[in-house]
Amino acid sequence: MSDQEQADAADEAEESETETDAGGLEDGDFVRVAYTIRTADDGRVIDTTDEETAEDAEIDTDEYDFEPRIIALGAGHVFPTVEEAFVGGAVGDEGTIDVPAEDAFGEYDPDEVETVKADKIPEDDRYPGAQVQIDNQQGHLETIIGGRARVDFNHPLAGEDLEYEYEILEAIDDREEQAAGMLGMYLQEAPEVRIETETEEEETVTEDDDGEETVETEEVEKDVLYVTATQAMQMNQQWMFQKQQIAQDLMDRLDLDRVVIEEVIEGGGMGGLGGMMGGMGGAGGGDVDIEEALEDVDVDADEIVDEIDEE
């Protein structure tokens, strides 16, 4: 190849690489994003990854970790308007996206305000502004008079246009980091995860022209995601009610074969079973004869049995 041909080939390769880069981010890509979401009318902060911004907005900074989030494009992790802006973009992009109410938490619907019987609401929640659940619907209590309560089942931010200020910090290619990021979006915390490739034996049944079946065994590799479930994660309502859907989403997006949840039980609980049973046997540490124990407290075991039979 002549020098000119080599130069032309290099130019073509560079041009092809530039065109590929110009394609930008696309569905299925994972990116780490720093963002702050405000209401458009009064600039009220409703979500942020910046702790200083949260403190200024008087958001409780003890409850959550404030750090940039990993999102998967095409997974519904951000508002549709934001996702449309991200697709085709690139790492380093930043700006503010206007999100209309219909793309955020929906328009306000007056029909979603209903009057219900007050006894459907727990006594402790019978005050204006309380968050209540009635017939599997979440709402907030507007007023309560006598035996009737007026409940608004609209989302608290329904009808609000939003401003989504963002910066795309980096693309995430590591699958373990992607998995932790997805779980963080669902659970507001990123548990410890690891992906292991395991070899398993699988049986396949084949049938010849005569209808005879032959069972063959072959070794196949399976990618398994292990998730360490903390006590907080196990108590998370979204995890409790949607773990199957969350696991399926992880498998689909990360090309996994299985998700295994490893339960963690911390020490320092209520102690042994002896303590839970009122201390019987706790001091001696061995088998305890029940009749002997009753004699020690001056109780006749036969009398107790007779009383139970009479009842």
Side-chain angles (χ1 to χ4, degrees):
M1 181 181 290
S2 66
D3 291 344
Q4 183 59 46
E5 288 174 332
Q6 290 180 353
D8 291 341
D11 289 340
E12 288 179 8
E14 184 176 348
E15 183 178 343
S16 175
E17 184 176 344
T18 301
E19 289 176 356
T20 300
D21 293 342
L25 299 170
E26 56 187 24
D27 278 359
D29 287 346
F30 285 76
V31 290
R32 192 187 308 276
V33 180
Y35 65 82
T36 296
I37 306 173
R38 297 180 173 89
T39 54
D41 61 345
D42 58 7
R44 177 165 47 97
V45 175
I46 63 169
D47 192 14
T48 184
T49 58
D50 182 70
E51 185 169 1
E52 186 175 339
T53 300
E55 289 176 348
D56 291 343
E58 298 183 348
I59 296 173
D60 185 1
T61 56
D62 294 330
E63 191 172 352
Y64 301 110
D65 293 329
F66 291 88
E67 57 186 17
R69 297 294 182 89
I70 295 174
I71 66 170
L73 297 182
H77 291 167
V78 292
F79 303 119
T81 307
V82 174
E83 199 155 56
E84 289 173 10
F86 283 1
V87 172
V91 172
D93 285 357
E94 58 183 299
T96 301
I97 302 167
D98 294 328
V99 183
E102 62 266 25
D103 273 355
F105 297 98
E107 296 286 4
Y108 186 84
D109 185 357
D111 292 336
E112 288 296 309
V113 181
E114 301 178 13
T115 300
V116 301
K117 290 181 178 181
D119 59 12
K120 284 192 171 185
I121 301 170
E123 287 188 18
D124 292 343
D125 294 332
R126 294 179 189 174
Y127 60 89
Q131 297 297 313
V132 296
Q133 181 168 326
I134 300 174
D135 298 332
N136 296 320
Q137 279 187 290
Q138 293 286 343
H140 67 274
L141 183 59
E142 287 190 339
T143 58
I144 182 165
I145 301 175
R148 312 294 287 177
R150 188 172 174 81
V151 181
D152 187 349
F153 291 105
N154 284 284
H155 189 281
L157 292 168
E160 293 272 12
D161 296 332
L162 305 177
E163 294 177 348
Y164 188 100
E165 181 183 350
Y166 74 95
E167 181 180 2
I168 301 175
L169 302 176
E170 62 176 324
I172 304 298
D173 298 320
D174 181 80
R175 283 202 300 169
E176 289 184 351
E177 204 170 354
Q178 291 173 348
M182 284 187 66
L183 286 165
M185 286 297 298
Y186 282 118
L187 309 175
Q188 303 302 313
E189 67 166 320
E192 293 183 12
V193 302
R194 70 183 189 278
I195 295 176
E196 297 183 1
T197 301
E198 301 176 354
T199 302
E200 300 178 0
E201 289 188 348
E202 280 191 358
E203 292 184 347
T204 57
V205 180
T206 59
E207 190 175 297
D208 60 22
D209 295 338
D210 297 327
E212 290 191 17
E213 293 184 348
T214 302
V215 178
E216 297 180 353
T217 301
E218 62 176 343
E219 290 187 343
V220 295
E221 290 187 341
K222 301 280 188 179
D223 284 346
V224 182
L225 172 66
Y226 288 88
V227 181
T228 301
T230 61
Q231 290 178 326
M233 177 178 167
Q234 294 171 55
M235 295 300 292
N236 184 291
Q237 288 194 354
Q238 185 161 10
W239 175 250
M240 290 168 63
F241 294 114
Q242 294 184 301
K243 64 175 66 177
Q244 182 65 42
Q245 296 94 313
I246 294 172
Q248 190 61 56
D249 194 17
L250 287 163
M251 287 187 284
D252 291 343
R253 295 196 173 276
L254 302 180
D255 194 24
L256 298 166
D257 297 290
R258 186 180 302 124
V259 174
V260 176
I261 310 302
E262 298 179 321
E263 183 178 5
V264 175
I265 300 176
E266 302 288 353
M270 292 184 63
L273 288 175
M276 294 177 65
M277 295 300 290
M280 293 185 65
D287 293 335
V288 176
D289 186 282
I290 299 300
E291 290 194 11
E292 289 181 5
L294 290 171
E295 287 174 3
D296 290 339
V297 294
D298 196 23
V299 175
D300 191 313
D302 293 331
E303 287 182 9
I304 294 177
V305 172
D306 291 339
E307 289 178 9
I308 293 173
D309 289 340
E310 288 175 5
E311 292 179 359

